[in-house]
Amino acid sequence: MADSPDGIYDKGVIDPGFPAKNPTQSFWLTEPCEISKLRSPWPEETVDIVVIGSGMTAASLINTLYSKQPNLNVTILEARDLCSGATGRNGGHIKAMSPGAWFERAEKFGVQEAVRIMEYEHSHLKEMAACIRDNDINCDLDEVEGLDVYYDEKVFRYACDAVEDMRQHAPSLGAIYAIYTTKEELEARNISQPCFGAIGMPAASMWPYKMVTSLLDKMVRENGLSIQTNTLVTAVYDEDDKDFAVVKTDRGEIRAKHVVHATNAWASRLVPELRPFVSPVRANVQRQVPELPEAERSKRRFGSSWWSRYGEHDYEYMIQRPDGAYILGRSGTGRRATADDSTVDFLPHAHLQGVTPKIFDFGTKDVKRRECEVGPR
């Protein structure tokens, strides 16, 4: 949202436009899959479903649909190469939000519904890990402890109070979290001062692009999923007297009984009435590689994912890859409300480079920094 408290954004409603033709290069896209540029035979007859977008949402939805109706006629339309949007440009986390979200949800929806939301959010880790294993997907799944590390005492106390409140109302939910405050507990998790404490929970990291593209590849082979990459959708026409919509692209038109918009930041381009509610924000992510031999880097792996919280809505996130490199990002200051991922924001990247030696130093301050990706959310 353009008026979100999560950063300093442009004011007003944002038209995301169409995906940039020259996006920045993401680390996750450095090993493209075999179907990254796939163009299946063009559908001449009316299809059951057109899905616009080819990221996590699209793959999850289509996988679920095929589990119920394997013979559905589904077509994916992607403006660029496969999975080139936010799923191919994120931090690689599988982790729930801050426990502090409990109070906001309980106030807005009531305690019972807040419990359901929190439990649903945590269930994603189990479901995604099961999906990866059941489909034998090689995407570097690494189940670790997720750590919210707090650098603001008030925010830490707020999160701790939320955990205690959850334990009162829903003991099984509250039991998911572990609170660490002693020097020994923090040092055992490679957390250095001056943080005020940390809260742990189950989490994981992975290579998101490889998970999604592996699922899509399987559905192409087993279900006949049609994929049209580098095919820009310019409009969708839906008339009341017709039992299909017309999806107009720069390569022709497709008729579809159902159309799903799974384009994240770009959704309001084709559905303008969403613009007051869905506004794109450019997030910034870096891959940082310590100047050490890979074998030495791998030894320094610390076995957790991090969210460094300076405020309830002000944080960075970080995972460590199997080769010892770090993926870290977000940075609230200086983020822009835009869907343009062809450039980076100076302040967020300067911040991410500067904060690493102060917070994320695990044995060396000599880091070769490589800006790797930027993507709208």
mmCIF file of all heavy atoms in Angstrom, residues 95-106 109-125 148 150 158-159 162-167 169-170 172-174 176-177 199 201-202 312:
data_model
loop_
_atom_site.group_PDB
_atom_site.id
_atom_site.type_symbol
_atom_site.label_atom_id
_atom_site.label_comp_id
_atom_site.label_asym_id
_atom_site.label_seq_id
_atom_site.Cartn_x
_atom_site.Cartn_y
_atom_site.Cartn_z
ATOM 1 N N LYS A 95 8.690 -18.392 6.521
ATOM 2 C CA LYS A 95 8.648 -17.967 7.918
ATOM 3 C C LYS A 95 7.396 -17.133 8.175
ATOM 4 O O LYS A 95 6.971 -16.365 7.308
ATOM 5 C CB LYS A 95 9.895 -17.151 8.266
ATOM 6 C CG LYS A 95 9.939 -16.666 9.703
ATOM 7 C CD LYS A 95 11.152 -15.792 9.937
ATOM 8 C CE LYS A 95 11.114 -15.135 11.297
ATOM 9 N NZ LYS A 95 9.975 -14.185 11.431
ATOM 10 N N ALA A 96 6.830 -17.296 9.364
ATOM 11 C CA ALA A 96 5.662 -16.504 9.754
ATOM 12 C C ALA A 96 6.079 -15.084 10.116
ATOM 13 O O ALA A 96 7.256 -14.785 10.334
ATOM 14 C CB ALA A 96 4.945 -17.162 10.935
ATOM 15 N N MET A 97 5.087 -14.203 10.209
ATOM 16 C CA MET A 97 5.344 -12.822 10.584
ATOM 17 C C MET A 97 5.778 -12.730 12.048
ATOM 18 O O MET A 97 5.800 -13.719 12.780
ATOM 19 C CB MET A 97 4.086 -11.979 10.375
ATOM 20 C CG MET A 97 3.738 -11.751 8.915
ATOM 21 S SD MET A 97 4.953 -10.732 8.070
ATOM 22 C CE MET A 97 4.638 -9.152 8.843
ATOM 23 N N SER A 98 6.092 -11.516 12.483
ATOM 24 C CA SER A 98 6.444 -11.271 13.877
ATOM 25 C C SER A 98 5.301 -11.698 14.788
ATOM 26 O O SER A 98 4.127 -11.506 14.460
ATOM 27 C CB SER A 98 6.727 -9.777 14.090
ATOM 28 O OG SER A 98 6.647 -9.438 15.455
ATOM 29 N N PRO A 99 5.607 -12.281 15.949
ATOM 30 C CA PRO A 99 4.521 -12.612 16.885
ATOM 31 C C PRO A 99 3.734 -11.392 17.322
ATOM 32 O O PRO A 99 2.585 -11.512 17.758
ATOM 33 C CB PRO A 99 5.257 -13.266 18.067
ATOM 34 C CG PRO A 99 6.688 -12.858 17.925
ATOM 35 C CD PRO A 99 6.921 -12.703 16.459
ATOM 36 N N GLY A 100 4.332 -10.195 17.155
ATOM 37 C CA GLY A 100 3.599 -8.978 17.501
ATOM 38 C C GLY A 100 2.341 -8.786 16.689
ATOM 39 O O GLY A 100 1.433 -8.043 17.101
ATOM 40 N N ALA A 101 2.246 -9.469 15.537
ATOM 41 C CA ALA A 101 1.036 -9.384 14.710
ATOM 42 C C ALA A 101 -0.179 -9.939 15.445
ATOM 43 O O ALA A 101 -1.316 -9.649 15.072
ATOM 44 C CB ALA A 101 1.247 -10.130 13.401
ATOM 45 N N TRP A 102 0.056 -10.720 16.488
ATOM 46 C CA TRP A 102 -1.039 -11.314 17.260
ATOM 47 C C TRP A 102 -2.002 -10.258 17.795
ATOM 48 O O TRP A 102 -3.227 -10.377 17.650
ATOM 49 C CB TRP A 102 -0.479 -12.145 18.414
ATOM 50 C CG TRP A 102 -1.473 -12.443 19.500
ATOM 51 C CD1 TRP A 102 -1.583 -11.821 20.710
ATOM 52 C CD2 TRP A 102 -2.498 -13.434 19.464
ATOM 53 N NE1 TRP A 102 -2.607 -12.357 21.432
ATOM 54 C CE2 TRP A 102 -3.198 -13.351 20.693
ATOM 55 C CE3 TRP A 102 -2.907 -14.371 18.527
ATOM 56 C CZ2 TRP A 102 -4.268 -14.179 21.005
ATOM 57 C CZ3 TRP A 102 -3.982 -15.199 18.829
ATOM 58 C CH2 TRP A 102 -4.636 -15.097 20.046
ATOM 59 N N PHE A 103 -1.476 -9.229 18.421
ATOM 60 C CA PHE A 103 -2.338 -8.206 19.014
ATOM 61 C C PHE A 103 -3.166 -7.491 17.948
ATOM 62 O O PHE A 103 -4.360 -7.226 18.152
ATOM 63 C CB PHE A 103 -1.509 -7.196 19.802
ATOM 64 C CG PHE A 103 -1.022 -7.700 21.127
ATOM 65 C CD1 PHE A 103 0.314 -7.567 21.480
ATOM 66 C CD2 PHE A 103 -1.880 -8.314 22.029
ATOM 67 C CE1 PHE A 103 0.781 -8.024 22.709
ATOM 68 C CE2 PHE A 103 -1.429 -8.792 23.254
ATOM 69 C CZ PHE A 103 -0.095 -8.630 23.596
ATOM 70 N N GLU A 104 -2.552 -7.159 16.831
ATOM 71 C CA GLU A 104 -3.274 -6.467 15.757
ATOM 72 C C GLU A 104 -4.401 -7.333 15.219
ATOM 73 O O GLU A 104 -5.512 -6.849 14.975
ATOM 74 C CB GLU A 104 -2.298 -6.109 14.634
ATOM 75 C CG GLU A 104 -1.174 -5.171 15.063
ATOM 76 C CD GLU A 104 -0.104 -5.025 13.993
ATOM 77 O OE1 GLU A 104 -0.388 -5.389 12.826
ATOM 78 O OE2 GLU A 104 0.993 -4.538 14.314
ATOM 79 N N ARG A 105 -4.133 -8.604 15.049
ATOM 80 C CA ARG A 105 -5.150 -9.507 14.512
ATOM 81 C C ARG A 105 -6.251 -9.776 15.523
ATOM 82 O O ARG A 105 -7.430 -9.853 15.159
ATOM 83 C CB ARG A 105 -4.486 -10.808 14.066
ATOM 84 C CG ARG A 105 -3.581 -10.608 12.856
ATOM 85 C CD ARG A 105 -2.658 -11.777 12.594
ATOM 86 N NE ARG A 105 -1.898 -11.573 11.363
ATOM 87 C CZ ARG A 105 -0.902 -12.351 10.969
ATOM 88 N NH1 ARG A 105 -0.545 -13.396 11.708
ATOM 89 N NH2 ARG A 105 -0.264 -12.097 9.841
ATOM 90 N N ALA A 106 -5.876 -9.940 16.788
ATOM 91 C CA ALA A 106 -6.882 -10.187 17.817
ATOM 92 C C ALA A 106 -7.822 -8.996 17.965
ATOM 93 O O ALA A 106 -9.039 -9.150 18.146
ATOM 94 C CB ALA A 106 -6.203 -10.498 19.155
ATOM 95 N N PHE A 109 -9.923 -8.921 14.455
ATOM 96 C CA PHE A 109 -10.762 -10.057 14.088
ATOM 97 C C PHE A 109 -11.307 -10.844 15.279
ATOM 98 O O PHE A 109 -12.150 -11.723 15.097
ATOM 99 C CB PHE A 109 -9.976 -11.017 13.189
ATOM 100 C CG PHE A 109 -9.440 -10.382 11.945
ATOM 101 C CD1 PHE A 109 -8.079 -10.182 11.785
ATOM 102 C CD2 PHE A 109 -10.287 -9.975 10.925
ATOM 103 C CE1 PHE A 109 -7.571 -9.600 10.642
ATOM 104 C CE2 PHE A 109 -9.787 -9.396 9.775
ATOM 105 C CZ PHE A 109 -8.427 -9.198 9.628
ATOM 106 N N GLY A 110 -10.822 -10.573 16.481
ATOM 107 C CA GLY A 110 -11.194 -11.370 17.636
ATOM 108 C C GLY A 110 -10.171 -12.465 17.888
ATOM 109 O O GLY A 110 -9.452 -12.883 16.967
ATOM 110 N N VAL A 111 -10.123 -12.942 19.124
ATOM 111 C CA VAL A 111 -9.095 -13.902 19.522
ATOM 112 C C VAL A 111 -9.191 -15.206 18.737
ATOM 113 O O VAL A 111 -8.186 -15.736 18.243
ATOM 114 C CB VAL A 111 -9.178 -14.179 21.035
ATOM 115 C CG1 VAL A 111 -8.294 -15.367 21.410
ATOM 116 C CG2 VAL A 111 -8.755 -12.943 21.826
ATOM 117 N N GLN A 112 -10.401 -15.739 18.599
ATOM 118 C CA GLN A 112 -10.551 -17.029 17.933
ATOM 119 C C GLN A 112 -10.068 -16.987 16.493
ATOM 120 O O GLN A 112 -9.347 -17.881 16.034
ATOM 121 C CB GLN A 112 -12.023 -17.471 17.974
ATOM 122 C CG GLN A 112 -12.253 -18.871 17.406
ATOM 123 C CD GLN A 112 -13.688 -19.342 17.569
ATOM 124 O OE1 GLN A 112 -14.519 -18.649 18.137
ATOM 125 N NE2 GLN A 112 -13.991 -20.526 17.065
ATOM 126 N N GLU A 113 -10.442 -15.934 15.784
ATOM 127 C CA GLU A 113 -10.018 -15.820 14.391
ATOM 128 C C GLU A 113 -8.514 -15.530 14.308
ATOM 129 O O GLU A 113 -7.839 -16.002 13.388
ATOM 130 C CB GLU A 113 -10.809 -14.722 13.684
ATOM 131 C CG GLU A 113 -10.587 -14.656 12.185
ATOM 132 C CD GLU A 113 -11.077 -15.894 11.450
ATOM 133 O OE1 GLU A 113 -11.896 -16.662 12.027
ATOM 134 O OE2 GLU A 113 -10.642 -16.106 10.307
ATOM 135 N N ALA A 114 -7.980 -14.758 15.259
ATOM 136 C CA ALA A 114 -6.543 -14.481 15.277
ATOM 137 C C ALA A 114 -5.744 -15.773 15.437
ATOM 138 O O ALA A 114 -4.697 -15.954 14.804
ATOM 139 C CB ALA A 114 -6.201 -13.500 16.381
ATOM 140 N N VAL A 115 -6.231 -16.680 16.279
ATOM 141 C CA VAL A 115 -5.569 -17.978 16.446
ATOM 142 C C VAL A 115 -5.557 -18.731 15.126
ATOM 143 O O VAL A 115 -4.532 -19.296 14.716
ATOM 144 C CB VAL A 115 -6.275 -18.811 17.536
ATOM 145 C CG1 VAL A 115 -5.733 -20.241 17.555
ATOM 146 C CG2 VAL A 115 -6.097 -18.170 18.906
ATOM 147 N N ARG A 116 -6.695 -18.731 14.440
ATOM 148 C CA ARG A 116 -6.783 -19.445 13.164
ATOM 149 C C ARG A 116 -5.825 -18.852 12.137
ATOM 150 O O ARG A 116 -5.172 -19.578 11.379
ATOM 151 C CB ARG A 116 -8.215 -19.384 12.639
ATOM 152 C CG ARG A 116 -9.224 -20.171 13.465
ATOM 153 C CD ARG A 116 -10.617 -20.043 12.884
ATOM 154 N NE ARG A 116 -10.673 -20.580 11.525
ATOM 155 C CZ ARG A 116 -11.702 -20.413 10.695
ATOM 156 N NH1 ARG A 116 -12.753 -19.695 11.096
ATOM 157 N NH2 ARG A 116 -11.687 -20.942 9.492
ATOM 158 N N ILE A 117 -5.714 -17.528 12.116
ATOM 159 C CA ILE A 117 -4.821 -16.876 11.160
ATOM 160 C C ILE A 117 -3.367 -17.234 11.454
ATOM 161 O O ILE A 117 -2.597 -17.569 10.545
ATOM 162 C CB ILE A 117 -5.011 -15.349 11.191
ATOM 163 C CG1 ILE A 117 -6.406 -14.972 10.663
ATOM 164 C CG2 ILE A 117 -3.929 -14.640 10.375
ATOM 165 C CD1 ILE A 117 -6.754 -13.506 10.857
ATOM 166 N N MET A 118 -2.992 -17.159 12.739
ATOM 167 C CA MET A 118 -1.607 -17.451 13.107
ATOM 168 C C MET A 118 -1.264 -18.916 12.821
ATOM 169 O O MET A 118 -0.183 -19.234 12.306
ATOM 170 C CB MET A 118 -1.367 -17.130 14.577
ATOM 171 C CG MET A 118 -1.650 -15.691 14.989
ATOM 172 S SD MET A 118 -0.468 -14.473 14.384
ATOM 173 C CE MET A 118 0.873 -14.645 15.551
ATOM 174 N N GLU A 119 -2.187 -19.824 13.154
ATOM 175 C CA GLU A 119 -1.938 -21.249 12.901
ATOM 176 C C GLU A 119 -1.859 -21.523 11.402
ATOM 177 O O GLU A 119 -1.019 -22.321 10.952
ATOM 178 C CB GLU A 119 -3.041 -22.092 13.540
ATOM 179 C CG GLU A 119 -2.975 -22.113 15.052
ATOM 180 C CD GLU A 119 -4.097 -22.922 15.683
ATOM 181 O OE1 GLU A 119 -5.137 -23.132 15.010
ATOM 182 O OE2 GLU A 119 -3.947 -23.337 16.848
ATOM 183 N N TYR A 120 -2.712 -20.867 10.630
ATOM 184 C CA TYR A 120 -2.682 -21.033 9.175
ATOM 185 C C TYR A 120 -1.344 -20.548 8.613
ATOM 186 O O TYR A 120 -0.736 -21.209 7.754
ATOM 187 C CB TYR A 120 -3.842 -20.259 8.555
ATOM 188 C CG TYR A 120 -3.814 -20.212 7.039
ATOM 189 C CD1 TYR A 120 -4.107 -21.345 6.282
ATOM 190 C CD2 TYR A 120 -3.515 -19.031 6.381
ATOM 191 C CE1 TYR A 120 -4.086 -21.298 4.897
ATOM 192 C CE2 TYR A 120 -3.488 -18.976 4.994
ATOM 193 C CZ TYR A 120 -3.780 -20.109 4.255
ATOM 194 O OH TYR A 120 -3.753 -20.059 2.887
ATOM 195 N N GLU A 121 -0.887 -19.416 9.110
ATOM 196 C CA GLU A 121 0.382 -18.867 8.644
ATOM 197 C C GLU A 121 1.537 -19.826 8.933
ATOM 198 O O GLU A 121 2.375 -20.099 8.068
ATOM 199 C CB GLU A 121 0.624 -17.516 9.314
ATOM 200 C CG GLU A 121 1.736 -16.707 8.711
ATOM 201 C CD GLU A 121 1.833 -15.329 9.342
ATOM 202 O OE1 GLU A 121 1.832 -15.235 10.581
ATOM 203 O OE2 GLU A 121 1.904 -14.352 8.583
ATOM 204 N N HIS A 122 1.568 -20.370 10.136
ATOM 205 C CA HIS A 122 2.640 -21.310 10.488
ATOM 206 C C HIS A 122 2.536 -22.618 9.705
ATOM 207 O O HIS A 122 3.552 -23.280 9.477
ATOM 208 C CB HIS A 122 2.611 -21.601 11.992
ATOM 209 C CG HIS A 122 3.231 -20.533 12.830
ATOM 210 N ND1 HIS A 122 4.590 -20.324 12.886
ATOM 211 C CD2 HIS A 122 2.675 -19.598 13.650
ATOM 212 C CE1 HIS A 122 4.859 -19.314 13.696
ATOM 213 N NE2 HIS A 122 3.716 -18.852 14.169
ATOM 214 N N SER A 123 1.325 -22.990 9.284
ATOM 215 C CA SER A 123 1.152 -24.257 8.568
ATOM 216 C C SER A 123 1.824 -24.261 7.201
ATOM 217 O O SER A 123 2.070 -25.324 6.625
ATOM 218 C CB SER A 123 -0.342 -24.563 8.396
ATOM 219 O OG SER A 123 -0.938 -23.713 7.424
ATOM 220 N N HIS A 124 2.144 -23.076 6.669
ATOM 221 C CA HIS A 124 2.758 -23.013 5.352
ATOM 222 C C HIS A 124 4.109 -23.725 5.319
ATOM 223 O O HIS A 124 4.470 -24.327 4.298
ATOM 224 C CB HIS A 124 2.939 -21.550 4.925
ATOM 225 C CG HIS A 124 1.668 -20.919 4.456
ATOM 226 N ND1 HIS A 124 0.593 -20.717 5.291
ATOM 227 C CD2 HIS A 124 1.286 -20.456 3.238
ATOM 228 C CE1 HIS A 124 -0.382 -20.143 4.615
ATOM 229 N NE2 HIS A 124 0.004 -19.978 3.369
ATOM 230 N N LEU A 125 4.865 -23.643 6.398
ATOM 231 C CA LEU A 125 6.165 -24.302 6.438
ATOM 232 C C LEU A 125 6.018 -25.805 6.227
ATOM 233 O O LEU A 125 6.698 -26.407 5.376
ATOM 234 C CB LEU A 125 6.866 -24.021 7.765
ATOM 235 C CG LEU A 125 8.158 -24.795 8.032
ATOM 236 C CD1 LEU A 125 9.196 -24.525 6.963
ATOM 237 C CD2 LEU A 125 8.709 -24.452 9.416
ATOM 238 N N ASP A 148 13.552 -13.792 15.137
ATOM 239 C CA ASP A 148 13.288 -12.363 15.140
ATOM 240 C C ASP A 148 14.216 -11.754 16.187
ATOM 241 O O ASP A 148 14.069 -12.020 17.382
ATOM 242 C CB ASP A 148 11.832 -12.077 15.506
ATOM 243 C CG ASP A 148 10.892 -12.214 14.325
ATOM 244 O OD1 ASP A 148 11.333 -12.737 13.294
ATOM 245 O OD2 ASP A 148 9.722 -11.815 14.437
ATOM 246 N N TYR A 150 15.652 -8.473 18.001
ATOM 247 C CA TYR A 150 15.085 -7.148 18.262
ATOM 248 C C TYR A 150 16.152 -6.150 18.705
ATOM 249 O O TYR A 150 16.920 -6.406 19.641
ATOM 250 C CB TYR A 150 13.996 -7.261 19.333
ATOM 251 C CG TYR A 150 12.778 -8.006 18.842
ATOM 252 C CD1 TYR A 150 12.729 -9.400 18.899
ATOM 253 C CD2 TYR A 150 11.693 -7.342 18.290
ATOM 254 C CE1 TYR A 150 11.619 -10.097 18.437
ATOM 255 C CE2 TYR A 150 10.584 -8.022 17.826
ATOM 256 C CZ TYR A 150 10.548 -9.399 17.895
ATOM 257 O OH TYR A 150 9.455 -10.090 17.429
ATOM 258 N N TYR A 158 6.819 -5.798 23.410
ATOM 259 C CA TYR A 158 5.511 -5.967 22.770
ATOM 260 C C TYR A 158 5.376 -7.382 22.204
ATOM 261 O O TYR A 158 4.350 -8.043 22.382
ATOM 262 C CB TYR A 158 5.373 -4.924 21.660
ATOM 263 C CG TYR A 158 4.068 -4.919 20.914
ATOM 264 C CD1 TYR A 158 2.924 -4.349 21.461
ATOM 265 C CD2 TYR A 158 3.977 -5.461 19.622
ATOM 266 C CE1 TYR A 158 1.730 -4.317 20.755
ATOM 267 C CE2 TYR A 158 2.794 -5.435 18.911
ATOM 268 C CZ TYR A 158 1.669 -4.855 19.476
ATOM 269 O OH TYR A 158 0.489 -4.831 18.769
ATOM 270 N N ALA A 159 6.430 -7.861 21.528
ATOM 271 C CA ALA A 159 6.401 -9.194 20.951
ATOM 272 C C ALA A 159 6.375 -10.269 22.035
ATOM 273 O O ALA A 159 5.667 -11.277 21.921
ATOM 274 C CB ALA A 159 7.606 -9.396 20.039
ATOM 275 N N ALA A 162 2.998 -10.529 23.394
ATOM 276 C CA ALA A 162 2.133 -11.231 22.446
ATOM 277 C C ALA A 162 2.287 -12.743 22.594
ATOM 278 O O ALA A 162 1.301 -13.484 22.574
ATOM 279 C CB ALA A 162 2.457 -10.798 21.019
ATOM 280 N N VAL A 163 3.524 -13.212 22.752
ATOM 281 C CA VAL A 163 3.756 -14.646 22.935
ATOM 282 C C VAL A 163 3.074 -15.136 24.216
ATOM 283 O O VAL A 163 2.408 -16.179 24.234
ATOM 284 C CB VAL A 163 5.263 -14.952 22.971
ATOM 285 C CG1 VAL A 163 5.506 -16.405 23.376
ATOM 286 C CG2 VAL A 163 5.897 -14.663 21.612
ATOM 287 N N GLU A 164 3.240 -14.384 25.299
ATOM 288 C CA GLU A 164 2.610 -14.775 26.568
ATOM 289 C C GLU A 164 1.093 -14.779 26.442
ATOM 290 O O GLU A 164 0.408 -15.650 26.998
ATOM 291 C CB GLU A 164 3.048 -13.828 27.687
ATOM 292 C CG GLU A 164 4.532 -13.913 28.022
ATOM 293 C CD GLU A 164 4.953 -15.320 28.442
ATOM 294 O OE1 GLU A 164 4.125 -16.038 29.051
ATOM 295 O OE2 GLU A 164 6.100 -15.699 28.144
ATOM 296 N N ASP A 165 0.540 -13.810 25.729
ATOM 297 C CA ASP A 165 -0.910 -13.750 25.545
ATOM 298 C C ASP A 165 -1.395 -14.933 24.712
ATOM 299 O O ASP A 165 -2.446 -15.522 25.005
ATOM 300 C CB ASP A 165 -1.289 -12.432 24.865
ATOM 301 C CG ASP A 165 -2.753 -12.073 25.066
ATOM 302 O OD1 ASP A 165 -3.195 -12.065 26.238
ATOM 303 O OD2 ASP A 165 -3.459 -11.809 24.078
ATOM 304 N N MET A 166 -0.617 -15.304 23.684
ATOM 305 C CA MET A 166 -0.972 -16.492 22.897
ATOM 306 C C MET A 166 -0.953 -17.743 23.767
ATOM 307 O O MET A 166 -1.820 -18.619 23.638
ATOM 308 C CB MET A 166 0.001 -16.644 21.726
ATOM 309 C CG MET A 166 -0.327 -15.788 20.517
ATOM 310 S SD MET A 166 0.743 -16.154 19.107
ATOM 311 C CE MET A 166 2.098 -15.023 19.385
ATOM 312 N N ARG A 167 0.017 -17.822 24.659
ATOM 313 C CA ARG A 167 0.113 -19.004 25.521
ATOM 314 C C ARG A 167 -1.085 -19.113 26.456
ATOM 315 O O ARG A 167 -1.472 -20.215 26.849
ATOM 316 C CB ARG A 167 1.415 -18.953 26.316
ATOM 317 C CG ARG A 167 2.652 -19.181 25.439
ATOM 318 C CD ARG A 167 3.948 -18.947 26.202
ATOM 319 N NE ARG A 167 5.117 -19.229 25.344
ATOM 320 C CZ ARG A 167 6.371 -18.978 25.690
ATOM 321 N NH1 ARG A 167 6.639 -18.419 26.882
ATOM 322 N NH2 ARG A 167 7.354 -19.257 24.859
ATOM 323 N N HIS A 169 -4.251 -17.931 25.649
ATOM 324 C CA HIS A 169 -5.462 -18.204 24.868
ATOM 325 C C HIS A 169 -5.355 -19.462 24.011
ATOM 326 O O HIS A 169 -6.370 -20.109 23.725
ATOM 327 C CB HIS A 169 -5.772 -17.011 23.955
ATOM 328 C CG HIS A 169 -6.226 -15.797 24.691
ATOM 329 N ND1 HIS A 169 -5.374 -14.766 25.045
ATOM 330 C CD2 HIS A 169 -7.450 -15.443 25.148
ATOM 331 C CE1 HIS A 169 -6.049 -13.831 25.676
ATOM 332 N NE2 HIS A 169 -7.309 -14.209 25.762
ATOM 333 N N ALA A 170 -4.158 -19.800 23.566
ATOM 334 C CA ALA A 170 -3.959 -20.949 22.689
ATOM 335 C C ALA A 170 -2.581 -21.542 22.973
ATOM 336 O O ALA A 170 -1.604 -21.228 22.289
ATOM 337 C CB ALA A 170 -4.074 -20.537 21.223
ATOM 338 N N SER A 172 -1.019 -24.283 22.420
ATOM 339 C CA SER A 172 -0.282 -24.953 21.345
ATOM 340 C C SER A 172 0.326 -23.943 20.380
ATOM 341 O O SER A 172 1.411 -24.168 19.834
ATOM 342 C CB SER A 172 -1.200 -25.915 20.593
ATOM 343 O OG SER A 172 -2.284 -25.219 20.004
ATOM 344 N N LEU A 173 -0.357 -22.825 20.171
ATOM 345 C CA LEU A 173 0.180 -21.772 19.318
ATOM 346 C C LEU A 173 1.337 -21.063 20.005
ATOM 347 O O LEU A 173 2.402 -20.860 19.420
ATOM 348 C CB LEU A 173 -0.914 -20.759 18.963
ATOM 349 C CG LEU A 173 -0.479 -19.524 18.170
ATOM 350 C CD1 LEU A 173 0.106 -19.922 16.820
ATOM 351 C CD2 LEU A 173 -1.666 -18.581 17.981
ATOM 352 N N GLY A 174 1.152 -20.713 21.268
ATOM 353 C CA GLY A 174 2.211 -20.043 22.012
ATOM 354 C C GLY A 174 3.461 -20.887 22.151
ATOM 355 O O GLY A 174 4.579 -20.352 22.214
ATOM 356 N N ILE A 176 4.857 -22.604 19.993
ATOM 357 C CA ILE A 176 5.681 -22.553 18.782
ATOM 358 C C ILE A 176 6.888 -21.641 18.985
ATOM 359 O O ILE A 176 7.957 -21.855 18.410
ATOM 360 C CB ILE A 176 4.834 -22.060 17.580
ATOM 361 C CG1 ILE A 176 3.785 -23.121 17.228
ATOM 362 C CG2 ILE A 176 5.711 -21.734 16.366
ATOM 363 C CD1 ILE A 176 2.813 -22.685 16.146
ATOM 364 N N TYR A 177 6.721 -20.619 19.855
ATOM 365 C CA TYR A 177 7.741 -19.580 20.005
ATOM 366 C C TYR A 177 8.645 -19.848 21.211
ATOM 367 O O TYR A 177 8.198 -20.360 22.237
ATOM 368 C CB TYR A 177 7.077 -18.213 20.189
ATOM 369 C CG TYR A 177 6.196 -17.797 19.040
ATOM 370 C CD1 TYR A 177 4.824 -18.031 19.074
ATOM 371 C CD2 TYR A 177 6.724 -17.163 17.918
ATOM 372 C CE1 TYR A 177 4.006 -17.644 18.026
ATOM 373 C CE2 TYR A 177 5.922 -16.775 16.868
ATOM 374 C CZ TYR A 177 4.560 -17.023 16.922
ATOM 375 O OH TYR A 177 3.752 -16.634 15.885
ATOM 376 N N ILE A 199 13.311 -13.921 19.454
ATOM 377 C CA ILE A 199 12.219 -14.882 19.543
ATOM 378 C C ILE A 199 12.372 -15.867 18.396
ATOM 379 O O ILE A 199 12.476 -15.469 17.228
ATOM 380 C CB ILE A 199 10.849 -14.184 19.475
ATOM 381 C CG1 ILE A 199 10.689 -13.242 20.675
ATOM 382 C CG2 ILE A 199 9.726 -15.215 19.450
ATOM 383 C CD1 ILE A 199 9.381 -12.481 20.704
ATOM 384 N N MET A 201 11.312 -19.436 16.179
ATOM 385 C CA MET A 201 10.154 -20.196 15.701
ATOM 386 C C MET A 201 10.611 -21.071 14.543
ATOM 387 O O MET A 201 11.656 -20.804 13.935
ATOM 388 C CB MET A 201 9.041 -19.245 15.245
ATOM 389 C CG MET A 201 9.386 -18.432 14.014
ATOM 390 S SD MET A 201 8.357 -16.968 13.792
ATOM 391 C CE MET A 201 9.150 -15.846 14.980
ATOM 392 N N PRO A 202 9.862 -22.117 14.200
ATOM 393 C CA PRO A 202 10.256 -22.946 13.053
ATOM 394 C C PRO A 202 10.236 -22.130 11.765
ATOM 395 O O PRO A 202 9.350 -21.301 11.544
ATOM 396 C CB PRO A 202 9.178 -24.043 13.033
ATOM 397 C CG PRO A 202 8.630 -24.070 14.417
ATOM 398 C CD PRO A 202 8.682 -22.655 14.905
ATOM 399 N N GLU A 312 8.253 -2.678 14.743
ATOM 400 C CA GLU A 312 7.321 -3.743 14.387
ATOM 401 C C GLU A 312 7.224 -3.891 12.865
ATOM 402 O O GLU A 312 7.052 -4.985 12.344
ATOM 403 C CB GLU A 312 5.937 -3.450 14.979
ATOM 404 C CG GLU A 312 4.901 -4.539 14.701
ATOM 405 C CD GLU A 312 5.297 -5.909 15.225
ATOM 406 O OE1 GLU A 312 5.982 -5.985 16.269
ATOM 407 O OE2 GLU A 312 4.926 -6.908 14.589
#
